[in-house]
Amino acid sequence: MNIFASSLYIYTVLLMNIKSKRLLAIKNIISSQKVSSQEELLFLLQKGGYVTTQATLSRDLKFLKVAKVPDAQVGYVYALHEASSKVNEELSVDEFPVSGIESMEFSGNLAVIKTKPGFANGIASVIDSHGLYEILGTIAGDDTILLISREGVTKADVVNALSLFVPGIRSKVV
Amino acid sequence: MNIFASSLYIYTVLLMNIKSKRLLAIKNIISSQKVSSQEELLFLLQKGGYVTTQATLSRDLKFLKVAKVPDAQVGYVYALHEASSKVNEELSVDEFPVSGIESMEFSGNLAVIKTKPGFANGIASVIDSHGLYEILGTIAGDDTILLISREGVTKADVVNALSLFVPGIRSKVV
DNA sequence: TCAAAAAATGAATATTTTTGCATCGTCGTT
DNA sequence: AACGACGATGCAAAAATATTCATTTTTTGA
């Protein structure tokens, strides 16, 4: 199977472009160790294969709302805020999620998909864009997608349909 | 013992208190408005009668562990840490903005909760944070929350679950 | 597909923040 | 009283960070 011809590739590109990956790497690094300057972060990113400049880091940190906080040990540390701090705790620097999806559960002809914060809209629109027969439509909040499936369609059908372009999707409740 | 005869006391009042007062003033200022640079803070302090230099502010902010956080409005703001700002915290994790809820009605495995304008997201996230078994998830707009309950769960079950932390909750429709 | 628009980026620069050093006023000790 | 220690502070240099500008890359719309 040529994955570059598959919708998996399209999905991946849509959600995980270079910048997104770098942002995720930044999150992972600063949540796993004390980083006290952008220069230091720059070096750590390079070790992970991300080559960029201090200017871009400054913008990235602003985008991520990463705070610079006084710290007893090293003077200052960069810190994520509450909401984003536990997002990627199980991920190492070198492993990136190909999906922002956390879980999926059904209730009747509805499914509730939990995503990483902020991912719901993006993922929902990817789902919508495939125009799947099984899925009537979706509504997305910030980290939750409500998916309405067509009458007569089973939960397995929906999972199967989504699994075509959502890697590793699996329903918690069967 | 006459503490006014103690030179330690005099020393404390004359020197330490100046710093303490300034630190307090800094806390008050940055917790009541958005301050985006030390220079700006310097000016605000001067208006309050505290004359100092930017270098001292840098040290003060470090002492107070004041974080510099990216902000959508003004670029960057200085922010107190959780512990320091607890004064303003009116709601604990277990308290609930019950006054924000207007009504709750069911239809099948769905419930629509009407809230005061702007409250929906906050209330929905409080509900989510409790990770109730009965509730698959919620999606919030501005003043409406859609709540999806698990299959086999009754309306009463949902109300019971919510009533654990939502005082006086009651379903309009049974 | 192509052109226009928008977003991302690096280099250089401007701005902001931190810090080394010297000083001042005071205390505790001799 | 003299001396050394200490915390607070200002000044100025150094370091860190943010932003401007020009360019490239990506996305969007027709």
Side-chain angles (χ1 to χ4, degrees), chain B:
Chain B
M1 174 187 178
N2 178 3
I3 73 165
F4 289 97
S6 157
S7 47
L8 171 60
Y9 177 79
I10 294 172
Y11 173 78
T12 301
V13 166
L14 291 184
L15 292 185
M16 293 296 282
N17 227 20
I18 291 174
K19 183 181 178 184
S20 302
K21 282 187 175 180
R22 190 182 61 240
L23 292 179
L24 208 49
I26 291 173
K27 277 191 178 186
N28 285 330
I29 291 175
I30 67 179
S31 63
S32 64
Q33 63 189 284
K34 290 187 175 182
V35 180
S36 51
S37 74
Q38 294 178 12
E39 194 177 6
E40 183 183 348
L41 180 54
L42 192 63
F43 177 72
L44 293 172
L45 278 173
Q46 281 175 355
K47 279 194 357 186
Y50 295 90
V51 178
T52 183
T53 63
Q54 176 270 324
T56 295
L57 281 193
S58 175
R59 296 179 181 112
D60 286 351
L61 293 176
K62 186 172 187 175
F63 182 83
L64 291 173
K65 296 208 188 319
V66 172
K68 190 187 187 187
V69 187
D71 177 88
Q73 276 76 52
V74 297
Y76 295 85
V77 293
Y78 282 100
L80 293 168
H81 206 269
E82 286 282 324
S84 322
S85 56
K86 256 183 183 160
V87 185
N88 305 327
E89 219 173 89
E90 296 180 5
L91 295 175
S92 78
V93 181
D94 293 329
E95 292 177 280
F96 200 85
V98 61
S99 59
I101 294 183
E102 307 277 27
S103 72
M104 179 173 185
E105 302 187 56
F106 286 89
S107 176
N109 60 336
L110 301 176
V112 172
I113 301 171
K114 287 290 189 177
T115 73
K116 294 197 162 121
F119 275 60
N121 271 286
I123 292 176
S125 87
V126 172
I127 293 175
D128 286 347
S129 74
H130 280 79
L132 298 176
Y133 166 79
E134 293 85 349
I135 297 172
L136 279 195
T138 62
I139 294 190
D142 180 65
D143 62 0
T144 303
I145 301 169
L146 175 64
L147 182 156
I148 299 95
S149 62
R150 191 176 291 275
E151 279 183 18
V153 167
T154 68
K155 295 159 191 177
D157 290 336
V158 173
V159 173
N160 279 341
L162 291 176
S163 69
L164 292 178
F165 56 93
V166 182
I169 195 168
R170 174 181 319 170
S171 168
K172 263 191 187 172
V173 174
V174 181

Side-chain angles (χ1 to χ4, degrees), chain A residues 22 26 38-39 42 52-63, chain B residues 76:
Chain A
R22 191 183 59 240
I26 291 173
Q38 294 179 11
E39 194 177 6
L42 194 62
T52 184
T53 63
Q54 177 269 324
T56 296
L57 280 195
S58 175
R59 297 181 183 109
D60 286 350
L61 293 175
K62 187 172 188 175
F63 181 84
Chain B
Y76 295 85

Side-chain angles (χ1 to χ4, degrees), chain A residues 141-161:
Chain A
D142 179 65
D143 62 1
T144 304
I145 301 169
L146 175 65
L147 181 155
I148 299 95
S149 62
R150 190 175 292 276
E151 280 182 19
V153 168
T154 67
K155 295 160 189 174
D157 291 336
V158 173
V159 172
N160 280 341

